[in-house]
Amino acid sequence: MPTRTSTAVSGPPVPAPAPVDLPEPRRLGPLARLAPEPMKVVLNWGRRYSLWVFNFGLACCAIEFIAASMARHDFIRLGVIPFAPGPRQADLMVVSGTVTDKMAPAVKRLYEQMPEPKYVISFGACSNCGGPYWDSYAVTKGVDQIIPVDVYVPGCPPRPEALLQGILKLQEKIARESLGERYGNSGPGAAPPVAGRPSAAALRSGLVTPPGREDTR
């Protein structure tokens, strides 16, 4: 009985289908420019609405700060919690009043005790540039001579509404900031850190090495 033999038909190879890119997700609303980094949005949202304030009241501007925290203006509704227990629990330092050369080391020391990320509002003309005492031999010509300042609030003294506006400006700054750009990275091609801010390597310096990573040689 004859057997049927099948022969394979040879032809040109069939090309593999080209990969199809997924469509770009739709980004709507005012937060469209922040959508590629949702984690940054969440972290910055938490920071901007949970600012523990360390008030450094040095002169009459401190009375205006206290007025801003009372019921009439009530900056707690903006997510700002006044009177932190100390600098180690604070996120925001409000320097309100005349900074003298004798007080400047204490301001700098307490600022350095605050954890990162930390922010500073200079409240009033005396804190901004020395105010009416700018030509005094004992007055520091602005708190930014010793610590970095994020927002300046002018006035002598400024009203509580001016402090509320300064807080809103700071919150806008926090909402669009990136901690990588703020402190920089230690790798190649990293952006340089902002002037007056510690680098990422400086933030890690002095930390205790975890067990198992010591050099055993």
Side-chain angles (χ1 to χ4, degrees):
M1 183 175 180
T3 59
R4 181 179 298 176
T5 60
S6 60
T7 59
V9 179
S10 61
V14 178
V20 179
D21 296 333
L22 294 177
E24 185 73 14
R26 297 183 64 188
R27 298 166 183 164
L28 304 176
L31 295 180
R33 59 187 177 84
L34 302 177
E37 298 177 297
M39 185 55 64
K40 185 183 76 171
V41 175
V42 172
L43 294 177
N44 290 348
W45 177 85
R47 291 189 187 100
R48 67 187 293 197
Y49 292 124
S50 61
L51 292 171
W52 279 84
V53 178
F54 182 69
N55 180 32
F56 214 96
L58 300 172
C60 50
C61 290
I63 306 301
E64 302 297 325
F65 173 87
I66 295 172
S69 65
M70 295 294 105
R72 182 179 180 86
H73 302 282
D74 188 23
F75 60 38
I76 298 179
R77 59 194 168 94
L78 302 178
V80 179
I81 302 97
F83 312 121
R88 291 178 177 86
Q89 291 80 30
D91 308 292
L92 170 62
M93 174 183 282
V94 179
V95 183
S96 50
T98 309
V99 182
T100 61
D101 293 341
K102 188 175 182 178
M103 184 59 69
V107 176
K108 182 176 178 61
R109 185 182 308 114
L110 292 173
Y111 171 80
E112 291 175 346
Q113 292 178 4
M114 294 172 59
E116 297 285 348
K118 51 191 173 184
Y119 310 94
V120 176
I121 291 180
S122 178
F123 185 53
C126 289
S127 178
N128 291 343
C129 60
Y133 315 106
W134 66 272
D135 58 346
S136 173
Y137 70 95
V139 173
T140 304
K141 308 305 185 288
V143 71
D144 54 2
Q145 302 292 316
I146 53 176
I147 60 176
V149 174
D150 296 283
V151 175
Y152 297 86
V153 179
C156 185
R159 289 184 53 83
E161 294 89 344
L163 179 58
L164 297 180
Q165 180 68 18
I167 291 172
L168 293 176
K169 291 295 183 183
L170 178 63
Q171 290 178 336
E172 292 174 3
K173 181 177 180 180
I174 296 174
R176 62 174 180 265
E177 80 174 352
S178 170
L179 293 185
E181 298 173 358
R182 182 181 177 94
Y183 302 110
N185 297 318
S186 56
V194 179
R197 302 288 184 185
S199 62
L203 293 175
R204 291 192 296 266
S205 64
L207 299 180
V208 179
T209 305
R213 294 191 180 183
E214 295 87 358
D215 192 355
T216 56
R217 290 179 295 175

